[in-house]
Amino acid sequence: MNKIPEVTLQRLPVYLNYLKELDDSDYTVSSRSIATALKLGEVLVRKDLAMTSAIGRPKIGYIRTELISALEEDLGCKVIKNAVLVGCGGLGHALMCYNGFGNYGINIVAGFDNDRSKIGTTINNKPVLDGETIPSNEMTKNSDMAIICVPKEVAQLVCDKLVKAGIKAILNFSPTLLHAPEEVVIRDIDVAASLAVLASL
Amino acid sequence: MNKIPEVTLQRLPVYLNYLKELDDSDYTVSSRSIATALKLGEVLVRKDLAMTSAIGRPKIGYIRTELISALEEDLGCKVIKNAVLVGCGGLGHALMCYNGFGNYGINIVAGFDNDRSKIGTTINNKPVLDGETIPSNEMTKNSDMAIICVPKEVAQLVCDKLVKAGIKAILNFSPTLLHAPEEVVIRDIDVAASLAVLASL
DNA sequence: TAGATTGTTAATCGATTAACAATC
DNA sequence: TAGATTGTTAATCGATTAACAATC
């Protein structure tokens, strides 16, 4: 969909957070001020922003509100996108309760679980549905994205069901490599591994 | 401490997970078999492994158990490292209950929170302590690492306290950029931003 | 020995940084 | 106009891939 490289895309939320935190009295911002605050190269910031729909003006810089709007546009924040979450245990439950997804136009519409005692309940006003129904459920059919928070033993099974339902993007918290057709984009977050890497730096 | 580049270091847990999942009957593994299974370049795998303490044998490959042991060694899994977690809300609570850190030799020794109703309780047998005591607390003093799971408004405050206590590595789940002396390593995980990036690919 | 596989050296690719021209 | 700042073109750097020599 987008031709902005992934490394750049990953920095856009960082710029966005910084710009939103700025005082309203800052009408314009320069690439240098952003770079200094975020400890990035000045040219890198300018190149990143040049790849977005943002418009910079020589001698002036970027108009803050305009830049925020451009970044939100490029990150797709202005379009509501549905997502489902599979595995409503500790982490899954916490993510369903997290309200920060809305900033990016992401709406978690439902959770799935296999635990009979959870099915039929709601978490943060979202229904918890039977995991067996993933491929056929309306909630999945109306979503393009999914978050996997199940134990690693069943992660591939869940992934297969999501793919069957037409899910195109998966954020996987299970510490195992998932296999899916190449049109399905998968990214992994392994918290324990991240901390271990951090400790070895 | 380590001179293995961060990109390589990040792949070591992936190799490790794959090797552990293999059947015991696989006495040796080749860089090609690993590469195929993980969809990586064959030479990349070999170069990564060459940077570790693993020993490969021409014509034979790597002895699976030996390779696992080498990777665990290089990732520091064999040394117990203490960590504290600040912010025992939904996400923090879930991470304190997660038992996967042990695989990497990481031991979360305590949680900190400012909520009076949480202080004094335990989560997964770990005490929840008063966040105000972070800089002086024995738990922090005995730890090198910390996980920040507090709202972004107080994340920098918490970071400052951790730095004061001598923490050298921080995994930050708050969607805000933290400032710390350069000897302190910080890595950020922004789940909502990650999902937004995924959706824009 | 011959074949398979590692490890290394050279080539390529992509991302970052430096230099500088364009411009408000 | 002169100075500040953007955007672009060229140079550098690091990571990945390709080619190949070493070896069990």
Side-chain angles (χ1 to χ4, degrees):
Chain A
M1 187 206 298
N2 210 318
K3 62 193 172 305
I4 301 178
E6 188 163 355
V7 274
T8 295
L9 226 32
Q10 282 167 343
R11 281 187 294 263
L12 300 190
V14 182
Y15 298 140
L16 197 48
N17 285 331
Y18 171 69
L19 293 165
K20 284 180 175 173
E21 273 172 20
L22 280 183
D23 199 89
D24 282 341
S25 64
D26 294 305
Y27 184 66
T28 61
V29 282
S30 67
S31 56
R32 165 166 289 176
S33 68
I34 296 173
T36 307
L38 303 180
K39 292 169 189 152
L40 298 171
E42 190 180 345
V43 187
L44 180 62
V45 173
R46 217 143 59 222
K47 274 218 157 145
D48 280 348
L49 297 185
M51 285 194 229
T52 70
S53 53
I55 295 167
R57 291 166 183 74
K59 177 157 166 153
I60 293 168
Y62 306 82
I63 295 170
R64 192 178 71 96
T65 51
E66 233 180 70
L67 184 50
I68 289 175
S69 181
L71 293 176
E72 285 180 335
E73 182 65 38
D74 293 304
L75 274 168
C77 304
K78 294 176 175 178
V79 186
I80 301 290
K81 298 168 295 293
N82 292 334
V84 295
L85 183 150
V86 190
C88 302
L91 180 61
H93 191 284
L95 293 179
M96 285 188 69
C97 291
Y98 181 55
N99 289 316
F101 293 105
N103 295 328
Y104 296 100
I106 296 164
N107 184 24
I108 300 190
V109 292
F112 287 96
D113 206 292
N114 279 339
D115 183 341
R116 294 259 146 250
S117 68
K118 284 178 189 154
I119 297 169
T121 65
T122 64
I123 298 174
N124 196 21
N125 295 317
K126 304 159 203 303
V128 177
L129 309 169
D130 186 345
E132 292 303 322
T133 71
I134 289 174
S136 59
N137 201 288
E138 279 305 307
M139 292 299 189
T140 330
K141 292 249 174 86
N142 289 328
S143 301
D144 289 327
M145 295 187 288
I147 304 177
I148 294 182
C149 300
V150 300
K152 65 172 188 291
E153 291 73 21
V154 293
Q156 185 60 59
L157 228 60
V158 165
C159 175
D160 294 343
K161 285 181 185 153
L162 291 167
V163 168
K164 196 175 290 181
I167 293 290
K168 290 295 176 228
I170 295 173
L171 191 60
N172 171 41
F173 282 87
S174 279
T176 187
L177 193 96
L178 298 175
H179 296 278
E182 63 174 334
E183 72 268 18
V184 179
V185 191
I186 301 178
R187 289 295 176 274
D188 304 286
I189 296 182
D190 184 335
V191 180
S194 300
L195 197 55
V197 168
L198 194 55
S200 323
L201 287 173
Chain B
M1 187 207 295
N2 211 318
K3 61 192 171 309
I4 301 178
E6 189 163 356
V7 276
T8 295
L9 226 31
Q10 283 167 345
R11 282 187 293 263
L12 300 191
V14 181
Y15 298 139
L16 198 48
N17 284 331
Y18 170 69
L19 293 166
K20 284 180 176 173
E21 273 172 20
L22 281 184
D23 198 89
D24 282 342
S25 63
D26 294 306
Y27 184 65
T28 61
V29 282
S30 67
S31 56
R32 166 166 290 175
S33 68
I34 296 173
T36 306
L38 304 179
K39 291 168 189 154
L40 297 171
E42 190 181 344
V43 187
L44 180 63
V45 172
R46 218 143 58 223
K47 273 219 159 145
D48 280 348
L49 297 184
M51 285 194 228
T52 70
S53 53
I55 295 166
R57 290 166 184 74
K59 174 155 172 156
I60 293 169
Y62 306 82
I63 294 169
R64 192 178 71 96
T65 52
E66 232 181 72
L67 184 50
I68 289 175
S69 181
L71 294 176
E72 286 180 336
E73 182 65 39
D74 293 303
L75 274 167
C77 304
K78 295 178 174 177
V79 186
I80 300 289
K81 298 168 294 293
N82 291 334
V84 295
L85 183 150
V86 190
C88 301
L91 180 61
H93 190 286
L95 293 179
M96 285 188 68
C97 291
Y98 181 55
N99 289 317
F101 293 106
N103 295 329
Y104 296 99
I106 296 164
N107 184 24
I108 300 190
V109 292
F112 287 95
D113 207 292
N114 279 338
D115 183 340
R116 295 258 146 248
S117 69
K118 284 178 190 155
I119 297 169
T121 66
T122 64
I123 298 174
N124 196 18
N125 295 317
K126 304 158 202 305
V128 177
L129 309 169
D130 185 346
E132 292 303 322
T133 70
I134 290 174
S136 58
N137 200 289
E138 279 305 307
M139 291 298 189
T140 330
K141 292 250 175 83
N142 289 328
S143 301
D144 289 326
M145 295 187 286
I147 304 177
I148 294 182
C149 300
V150 300
K152 65 173 189 288
E153 292 73 20
V154 293
Q156 184 59 59
L157 228 61
V158 165
C159 175
D160 294 342
K161 284 181 186 153
L162 291 168
V163 168
K164 196 175 291 181
I167 293 290
K168 291 295 176 229
I170 295 173
L171 191 60
N172 171 41
F173 282 87
S174 279
T176 187
L177 195 98
L178 298 175
H179 296 279
E182 61 173 336
E183 73 269 18
V184 179
V185 190
I186 301 178
R187 289 296 176 273
D188 304 286
I189 296 181
D190 184 335
V191 180
S194 299
L195 197 54
V197 167
L198 194 54
S200 322
L201 287 175

